[in-house]
Amino acid sequence: MVNSTVFPSPCLAVPLAAIALGAIVISPAQAQTIETADVRATLLADIAFEYAALNHTQRWNTVANQALESTQAMVFQCFQANPLAKVAGSYLLIGQERQGQTLLAEAIATAQRQADTGCSSSATSPTESLLNRAREYAEAGHLDLALELGRSLGDPIALADLAGHLAGAGRGRRAAELLDQAIAQAQTIPVADTDYRSLTLVAIAERLRGAGHSHLARQVLDAALESTNTLGASEGSASMQILARLRMARELAAIDAGTEAIAVLDQTLPQIEALPAQPYALDPTIYAIDAALLWAELGQRPQAEAILATTLTAAQALPEDTGYSRGDALGRVAAAYARLGDLEQARPIVQAIQPGIERELAFQQMAIAQAEAGDLAAAVALAQASGSRRNTALVEITRYHLANQQPDQAWALVQAEQVQGIFAEVALGYLEAGQPDQAWQIVQANGLEGFDSELAIAQARAGQADQAIAAQPVEWLRPAIAREFAQQRQLDLALQVAESIGDQTYRAQAFIAIAQSYGPPAAARRGGVRGAIATLTDAARGWFGDSNRETATAALDQALELTQSL
């Protein structure tokens, strides 16, 4: 969903706040250093967009020029492109396409110009930030605006993400066309970086499959296969070529293209065997193990065992004076056998490692491998054998449970084995699972600090209104609480939270959040820009009814009044 404020997710322990959608994410203390005019500009951009989304032409007319002038006059220009794109989107939604396209081009040029200055103090550049906004527009159903941004910025991964959103909206033909554009964009990567091109295509396939679009992932994998097949022996990095092929084989296996996956592995194994021992002595071991395990997953157990036997021989032949390489290599082979369920083969390999950190690390790797194989009793027993790394191994097993959305099993292990240093992660696991009561028990019992905001959000999300309000969350967090209640159609509670906010900026953000939640649903916002007005009018009346449209409008009116008084 497109948020007017970027709020912390329940998995973050550090409070964050943002001035508006696309504005730089800042802490409450840092917010005081930003010019009030910039705050007003970002809020006005959000309000204008939401009025347009509700097809309130008259109200939009009253704020659009203000939003545009304020945005173009911003003092802190590093992320000026984001609210400017929001204003452009409002013009497009209201049907003023020429002005909207002009402003969108200005937003993109602004982002590119600011990116060249290196103005961002975060890991996200202005252009990357604008791409993130495109993804958020798509998630909220504003697909055409997202597509305009994505195409203009020309990032192949972003274009592929948008293709996935199109497919999810039932626009399969348009999704395939856009994905063709994404592939073509990736293939413009220079020939000297062909291996990087292949990795980019594989990354796109991974994202599409992860989003449930296996048919689109296959389209990209076909292009990646063609790209890797054009590689010459001297082109690019051999290690990167192998990495691309292994990831490609794994993706093919994941979409039930086992025959093609095996063919890729057959091509890759000679490359692995030809890798030089220097400068990275472990690379041949790591890649061979990855290939062997994938062969086993594809039902080729004899081939997997043959590769591991060869890899073990090579690891045993490594000289002792190569630092951690020999012990590390042996430990990795032992862990691979453990993943295949062959502890009898794995144990003597570990015993052959000199006592010390390398052997303990090997036991730890085997313990994690057994956990991943589903044999938790064996995993815990191996963790107990890992000496000084016992707790570290148990922490990793606990994380395995959390990664699989099993907070109960994780907490049971922590209590039974007295695992240390993992309480906060388990509490967060419960929050992500929508079980704030269990999280609160862990927080209280272990004296954990910094969870008030996460708990309040989780309680609101779980429908525990009384507990969320009783927590009296800090003001910068309350717009997120209001949003959760509004999305649950608990308008009285949402308004109660919004009206409890003293700071005008945060109160305005809360009313914008309420308006977004009560406006037309994402499905109603799909379709061409030219049909936006009729579509949105019908949606506002037919999907949620006039009363909810009035609710959203009233909330925006209050947000506008607060913003103009800043």
Side-chain angles (χ1 to χ4, degrees), residues 56 545-555 557:
H56 267 307
D546 285 332
S547 62
N548 286 325
R549 185 168 182 260
E550 292 170 3
T551 297
T553 302
D557 290 345

Side-chain angles (χ1 to χ4, degrees), residues 195-219:
D195 44 7
Y196 176 67
R197 179 195 302 173
S198 299
L199 283 169
T200 299
L201 289 168
V202 174
I204 289 173
E206 290 169 345
R207 292 172 72 96
L208 287 169
R209 181 185 59 80
H213 305 299
S214 294
H215 63 294
L216 295 179
R218 179 56 193 262
Q219 182 179 339

Side-chain angles (χ1 to χ4, degrees), residues 80 114 178 207 214 264 281 285 363 424 429 520:
Q80 183 188 39
Q114 291 297 322
L178 187 63
R207 292 172 72 96
S214 294
V264 172
T285 301
F363 273 116

Side-chain angles (χ1 to χ4, degrees), residues 228-549:
T228 56
N229 289 337
T230 64
L231 289 171
S234 61
E235 292 176 331
S237 160
S239 184
M240 285 187 69
Q241 289 181 30
I242 292 169
L243 177 60
R245 288 182 184 274
L246 288 174
R247 287 173 58 181
M248 192 183 310
R250 185 162 295 282
E251 284 306 300
L252 286 166
I255 62 171
D256 297 325
T259 300
E260 291 91 335
I262 290 172
V264 172
L265 289 174
D266 284 336
Q267 295 171 359
T268 308
L269 187 58
Q271 288 184 296
I272 296 173
E273 293 171 341
L275 273 177
Q278 297 299 328
Y280 305 111
L282 280 177
D283 276 6
T285 301
I286 293 170
Y287 291 140
I289 288 172
D290 286 347
L293 293 175
L294 186 49
W295 247 303
E297 292 174 22
L298 290 165
Q300 305 291 315
R301 177 73 178 239
Q303 174 76 327
E305 291 178 341
I307 294 172
L308 286 183
T310 301
T311 306
L312 173 59
T313 299
Q316 291 169 330
L318 287 171
E320 293 282 2
D321 59 356
T322 55
Y324 288 103
S325 296
R326 183 174 187 275
D328 193 348
L330 290 171
R332 289 173 185 270
V333 175
Y337 276 113
R339 282 187 172 85
L340 295 181
D342 192 349
L343 288 179
E344 291 186 6
Q345 182 74 14
R347 287 185 184 278
I349 298 173
V350 174
Q351 296 299 333
I353 301 173
Q354 292 294 324
I357 187 66
E358 287 184 313
R359 181 186 286 186
E360 293 173 358
L361 281 169
F363 273 116
Q364 177 184 324
Q365 291 176 24
M366 288 174 60
I368 296 168
Q370 286 299 104
E372 293 173 352
D375 191 343
L376 296 176
V380 172
L382 287 165
Q384 302 287 11
S386 62
S388 65
R389 302 201 57 89
R390 171 190 176 278
N391 192 76
T392 303
L394 290 170
V395 162
E396 293 302 322
I397 297 171
T398 305
R399 285 174 176 158
Y400 169 77
H401 282 305
L402 295 175
N404 286 278
Q405 291 80 49
Q406 298 173 330
D408 288 336
Q409 291 90 325
W411 184 233
L413 177 64
V414 168
Q415 292 177 302
E417 300 298 332
Q418 298 182 333
V419 186
Q420 301 299 311
I422 195 70
F423 298 131
E425 292 182 48
V426 177
L428 288 171
Y430 273 118
L431 288 178
E432 292 172 354
Q435 301 180 61
D437 291 342
Q438 290 87 336
W440 180 238
Q441 292 174 12
I442 295 174
V443 168
Q444 283 190 313
N446 295 280
L448 303 179
E449 297 180 355
F451 275 82
D452 293 347
S453 58
E454 286 82 1
L455 281 166
I457 288 287
Q459 287 166 334
R461 188 167 293 143
Q464 298 178 355
D466 292 341
Q467 295 93 319
I469 293 175
Q472 296 184 333
V474 292
E475 288 202 327
W476 63 263
L477 183 67
R478 294 184 192 184
I481 302 289
R483 179 187 302 281
E484 292 295 336
F485 289 144
Q487 288 176 340
Q488 297 168 26
R489 296 294 179 261
Q490 298 187 61
L491 178 60
D492 290 342
L493 289 173
L495 291 173
Q496 178 182 338
V497 172
E499 289 164 358
S500 74
I501 301 173
D503 181 273
Q504 286 184 242
T505 298
Y506 294 134
R507 190 189 300 180
Q509 290 173 344
F511 282 119
I512 292 171
I514 292 170
Q516 289 175 327
S517 298
Y518 272 79
R525 295 173 178 172
R526 296 176 180 134
V529 172
R530 291 176 176 82
I533 296 177
T535 300
L536 291 172
T537 300
D538 292 341
R541 293 178 179 171
W543 287 80
F544 283 153
D546 285 332
S547 62
N548 286 325
R549 185 168 182 260

Side-chain angles (χ1 to χ4, degrees), residues 77-82 84 103-116 126-127 130:
Q77 297 183 355
C78 188
F79 285 87
Q80 183 188 39
N82 296 321
L84 187 56
L103 291 175
L104 202 59
E106 182 181 340
I108 292 166
T110 299
Q112 292 169 336
R113 183 173 62 253
Q114 291 297 322
D116 290 340
T127 49
L130 203 54

